[in-house]
Amino acid sequence: MPLSPSPSSPLPLDSTSVVESLRAAGCVFAEDEARILLSTARDAAELAALVERRASGLPLEHVVGWAEFCGLRVAVDPNVFVPRRRTEFLAREALTRTPPDAVVVDLCCGTGAVAAVLAARAPA
């Protein structure tokens, strides 16, 4: 059953139908992804479009336009790598080893997520 609403009557999607659609598409963490999609969509039509894009195989982060990294929402798009959870270890280590007045360069690393974490935690 397609999730695209007709222009005249948007399809009301609830968490159960979103989870079922994601699970049918093979999304292992369907419940978690459904929560993210439901909190991101502004209306039923946008939710249907988001679910359809995710069910077609696009990474969740590209669908919603952000990835969570060390508690921050880092903007992503299809032209950059999605920051990996395992890289959070590197960011936490950098936080503990970088003096407050240090200059840190995060080049050619996709979103610059590690630098974003360091900047967010740096003193004014």
Side-chain angles (χ1 to χ4, degrees), residues 61 65-67 73-77 80-81 83 110-112:
E61 296 83 1
W66 57 269
R73 280 191 178 185
V74 178
V76 299
D77 66 39
V80 299
F81 292 116
T111 63

Side-chain angles (χ1 to χ4, degrees), residues 2-13 43-49 52:
L3 288 173
S4 299
S6 69
S8 59
S9 61
L11 177 65
L13 295 176
D43 56 37
E46 184 177 21
L47 177 60
E52 186 174 311

